Amino acid sequence: MLSKTIEKVLNDQIRIESESSQIYLAMACWAEVKGLEGIAGFMYAQSDEERDHMLKFVKFVNERGGHAHISDLNEPNVKFKSFKEMFEKLLEHEIFVSESINNLVDISLQEKDYATHNFLQWYVAEQIEEEAMARTILDKINLIGDDKGGLYLFDRDIQQLTISSASNDNV
Ligand code: FEO
């Protein structure tokens, strides 16, 4: 059974994961209308992943005797100066999510809720991966600079990243 404190903080995280999904959906739209098909596909996949993260929390809260709260959401930013800025925002956002997950881990220990603590370990590992992927992408973007041919190749290569990260999820 979840304590009221744990139920509240898990519900706060449900909102954060839902907002993450919306943020990446807005990024997918921005890239798609700019003709960056590969980047758009990557962002659509990120948006779907965040929805899965949200649902995992929803089911955990409901199964542990709590009641998952589905709240309204803040509207995401829909415009970016460049695709580089967009990926910088993605990394910033993932760092924010990691801090939030770490904070949840802390609270679960304070509350001596070891089941929740154990459940959160999946998210701790996932955040390490997501931050690492965002940093790798930004390194590539910095290598490309303003080169249009480089952007074309980057847009093509990121499709591969989307496909391989989707197949990793199925393992
Ligand atoms: Fe669910 Fe990318 O954090």
Side-chain angles (χ1 to χ4, degrees), residues 13 16-17 20 24 46 49-51 53-54 57 93-94 97-98 101 122-123 126-127 130:
Q13 191 65 30
I16 290 174
E17 300 292 344
S20 303
Y24 299 151
Q46 287 301 112
E49 270 196 31
E50 297 302 342
R51 183 177 158 77
H53 295 175
M54 179 272 286
F57 272 114
H93 185 72
E94 287 304 328
V97 175
S98 298
I101 296 286
W122 183 87
Y123 288 88
E126 179 73 8
Q127 284 312 119
E130 295 215 332

Side-chain angles (χ1 to χ4, degrees), residues 54-68:
M54 179 272 286
L55 280 175
K56 225 170 144 78
F57 272 114
V58 163
K59 292 195 173 142
F60 181 77
V61 169
N62 290 339
E63 279 164 11
R64 299 276 306 151
H67 190 157

Side-chain angles (χ1 to χ4, degrees), residues 20-141:
S20 303
S21 182
Q22 296 296 89
I23 289 168
Y24 299 151
L25 191 56
M27 289 179 175
C29 292
W30 183 87
E32 194 160 47
V33 298
K34 290 248 177 294
L36 299 165
E37 293 293 323
I39 295 173
F42 174 84
M43 288 300 179
Y44 278 122
Q46 287 301 112
S47 176
D48 283 349
E49 270 196 31
E50 297 302 342
R51 183 177 158 77
D52 288 345
H53 295 175
M54 179 272 286
L55 280 175
K56 225 170 144 78
F57 272 114
V58 163
K59 292 195 173 142
F60 181 77
V61 169
N62 290 339
E63 279 164 11
R64 299 276 306 151
H67 190 157
H69 180 61
I70 309 303
S71 68
D72 60 352
L73 303 173
N74 286 322
E75 189 178 338
N77 182 19
V78 294
K79 283 197 188 133
F80 305 92
K81 285 203 279 294
S82 63
F83 75 104
K84 179 179 172 180
E85 188 202 50
M86 191 173 75
F87 279 99
E88 282 167 351
K89 296 272 180 233
L90 181 141
L91 175 59
E92 255 174 48
H93 185 72
E94 287 304 328
I95 292 170
F96 160 75
V97 175
S98 298
E99 283 168 1
S100 179
I101 296 286
N102 289 343
N103 190 39
L104 286 181
V105 172
D106 234 31
I107 296 169
S108 70
L109 284 178
Q110 282 164 28
E111 293 278 307
K112 296 189 174 19
D113 183 341
Y114 301 114
T116 297
H117 182 265
N118 185 50
F119 168 75
L120 289 170
Q121 297 314 303
W122 183 87
Y123 288 88
V124 171
E126 179 73 8
Q127 284 312 119
I128 293 170
E129 265 187 40
E130 295 215 332
E131 276 190 42
M133 184 174 63
R135 287 195 174 92
T136 304
I137 291 171
L138 276 172
D139 285 347
K140 282 191 202 296
I141 292 172

Side-chain angles (χ1 to χ4, degrees), residues 137-154:
I137 291 171
L138 276 172
D139 285 347
K140 282 191 202 296
I141 292 172
N142 285 327
L143 281 175
I144 297 166
D146 293 329
D147 179 44
K148 287 266 186 285
L151 172 57
Y152 172 80
L153 291 177
F154 173 80

